[in-house]
Amino acid sequence: MNGKDFQEVLNRYLSGQATEEEVAWIESAYINWNQNDIQPRDEQKLEDATKLIWKVVNAKTRPFNNITRLFPILYAAAVLVICSIIGIVIYKQLSSSAGTAESYLAANIQPGKSRAILVLSDGRKIDLDKASKGHFADQTGVEISKTTDGQIVYKIPEQEIRNNKTEYNTIETPSGGQYQVELPDGTKVWMNASSSLTFAASFSGERTVKLKGEAYFEVSKLSEGGTRIPFIVKTENQKISVLGTHFNVNTYDDEPFAKTTLLEGSIKVNDTHILKPGQQANIKEGNINVLNVNAEDFIDWKNGDFILENNDFRSIMRKIARWYDVQVFYAEDAPKNINLGGWISRSKNISSILKLMEETGKVHFKIEGRRITVTK
């Protein structure tokens, strides 16, 4: 990108005609420049230029009867000049530090956000990101609504529970997406990226859901006739039975193990192993290995973070691929594992977390579009 191309992008930004990618680049570039990149002498130049512009504006609008006519035009011109100066400074800084504006844009791939598709039993698909707040759909007596903070809630009148046939809905999150849903029994589920959850629109008797991917459950206690009703999560290789508890299930196909981690209460895995809080069941090919773990480390995604410490490097890269919707490739000399420490927010651009890992001196990353190549 040369100076002329950059100016065209900046002009489109100022006129409101820029693409989402161009807007993200301009705004993230300005934030980066404002906080870190430009030296004090450059800030002084910008401040001096700004003062000069406003001096000219004030001089040209002194006659009171001309202010109304001239000020809007001069104000707009001043804003354009100021923004152009900012843009030129940003462009020069990016060119010297990152080589090209394109490489900076690639390095600042945006994080995922709350988005998902709801598939109703009749085949209707609803984009939950675009669904309006409040009540937006009905299904044989079940009211489906979206709260102000974006989660989906199922409600069914008590008198309707026995009158409804069992119909199943599915919520699907894409790469770069996550979502929260409250099921008909009051159970809350947080779904991670690239996941799907299938459940009955109205529960009666046993409560069973099917999960692919990863989700965190806060299961509501429910009784019928004095008998506690179990809540069951089925995955490809697990059957998890609970009564009322908090736990996380990671069952992605590209992970070496399916992991079920208990935070509160108790759960039974495959009718054979009962977990206590702080324990994790690792399942592979029907074999179950129970470990004592720091359970909070395994719900970092639900809390909006990547915990790097004591986590397998390539497992972290798989998390990054799912959350930022990128593809990760490994060069022949790429490390299989490196010791990392600390944590970083999942709200950061991808460059922030990759830079943190590069500071170990043991790994480097090359970004081309949405492809990341890992090298030594």
Side-chain angles (χ1 to χ4, degrees):
M1 180 184 286
N2 57 36
K4 181 180 178 181
D5 293 335
F6 176 82
Q7 187 62 51
E8 290 176 356
V9 173
L10 184 62
N11 289 341
R12 286 197 293 275
Y13 176 84
L14 294 172
S15 64
Q17 298 177 340
T19 65
E20 289 186 9
E21 197 173 50
E22 289 168 343
V23 169
W25 175 55
I26 289 289
E27 293 181 351
S28 62
Y30 174 72
I31 292 171
N32 189 64
W33 164 79
N34 194 43
Q35 294 179 346
N36 301 313
D37 290 341
I38 304 303
Q39 300 299 319
R41 63 178 183 275
D42 295 312
E43 293 179 356
Q44 186 61 50
K45 286 181 181 179
L46 185 58
E47 183 179 348
D48 292 343
T50 304
K51 288 180 179 178
L52 178 61
I53 290 167
W54 284 113
K55 183 177 180 180
V56 173
V57 171
N58 290 332
K60 290 186 178 292
T61 57
R62 274 198 186 111
F64 184 81
N65 58 0
N66 287 336
I67 290 179
T68 304
R69 180 169 57 86
L70 292 176
F71 186 77
I73 298 173
L74 292 171
Y75 175 81
V79 170
L80 277 171
V81 174
I82 291 171
C83 289
S84 296
I85 292 172
I86 292 173
I88 292 168
V89 173
I90 294 171
Y91 176 70
K92 288 181 178 178
Q93 182 67 16
L94 295 179
S95 296
S96 62
S97 63
T100 65
E102 285 93 338
S103 64
Y104 184 88
L105 177 60
N108 279 276
I109 295 170
Q110 300 294 305
K113 61 180 182 178
S114 180
R115 55 183 180 145
I117 298 294
L118 172 63
V119 184
L120 300 179
S121 60
D122 60 8
R124 282 181 292 162
K125 293 186 177 182
I126 300 172
D127 186 335
L128 297 179
D129 187 37
K130 297 178 180 178
S132 58
K133 301 293 190 296
H135 174 219
F136 67 87
D138 289 291
Q139 189 174 18
T140 58
V142 179
E143 296 181 357
I144 310 172
S145 60
K146 184 176 179 180
T147 64
T148 54
D149 60 357
Q151 71 166 298
I152 296 302
V153 178
Y154 279 72
K155 291 185 178 179
I156 179 169
E158 187 67 29
Q159 66 273 16
E160 293 288 337
I161 292 178
R162 293 302 181 188
N163 298 332
N164 288 312
K165 64 179 182 180
T166 302
E167 296 184 332
Y168 291 90
N169 293 174
T170 299
I171 290 184
E172 302 171 343
T173 57
S175 293
Q178 64 179 28
Y179 219 83
Q180 183 180 351
V181 59
E182 182 176 313
L183 301 180
D185 66 331
T187 292
K188 295 181 179 180
V189 185
W190 286 257
M191 297 177 61
N192 204 351
S194 301
S195 302
S196 70
L197 183 73
T198 300
F199 54 93
S202 60
F203 290 124
S204 60
E206 186 178 272
R207 302 173 287 170
T208 301
V209 301
K210 294 181 180 179
L211 173 69
K212 292 182 179 180
E214 183 169 24
Y216 173 78
F217 295 83
E218 290 187 356
V219 176
S220 174
K221 295 179 181 178
L222 193 64
S223 299
E224 187 175 281
T227 302
R228 298 277 289 276
I229 302 176
F231 186 98
I232 296 174
V233 179
K234 290 185 176 180
T235 71
E236 184 177 355
N237 53 11
Q238 291 183 86
K239 176 185 176 184
I240 305 163
S241 304
V242 305
L243 295 175
T245 186
H246 299 179
F247 62 101
N248 189 80
V249 182
N250 181 329
T251 183
Y252 288 115
D253 291 337
D254 59 356
E255 293 293 337
F257 300 96
K259 298 177 180 178
T260 296
T261 310
L262 182 64
L263 286 91
E264 180 182 308
S266 66
I267 60 178
K268 182 183 290 186
V269 180
N270 289 355
D271 296 323
T272 58
H273 291 70
I274 297 177
L275 300 189
K276 298 177 181 179
Q279 290 187 325
Q280 179 183 89
N282 286 358
I283 300 100
K284 184 176 183 179
E285 296 178 352
N287 298 316
I288 301 177
N289 185 27
V290 177
L291 308 173
N292 293 319
V293 298
N294 181 357
E296 292 291 334
D297 289 352
F298 295 89
I299 60 167
D300 54 348
W301 67 271
K302 182 252 182 187
N303 295 330
D305 298 317
F306 288 110
I307 292 181
L308 307 180
E309 191 169 7
N310 299 323
N311 265 306
D312 174 76
F313 167 64
R314 297 206 177 190
S315 175
I316 292 171
M317 293 307 300
R318 290 191 291 271
K319 292 180 181 181
I320 290 171
R322 288 188 286 263
W323 183 234
Y324 291 94
D325 190 17
V326 296
Q327 291 182 303
V328 177
F329 297 88
Y330 296 90
E332 289 186 4
D333 64 347
K336 293 189 180 298
N337 201 10
I338 56 177
N339 293 323
L340 298 169
W343 60 273
I344 190 168
S345 172
R346 294 208 325 168
S347 66
K348 299 286 187 181
N349 291 341
I350 198 170
S351 58
S352 298
I353 185 170
L354 299 184
K355 182 179 179 181
L356 187 63
M357 290 192 284
E358 282 188 333
E359 288 176 354
T360 64
K362 298 179 180 179
V363 65
H364 293 88
F365 303 96
K366 181 180 179 182
I367 304 176
E368 299 170 297
R370 306 195 81 85
R371 174 190 173 109
I372 298 175
T373 301
V374 184
T375 63
K376 184 174 180 181

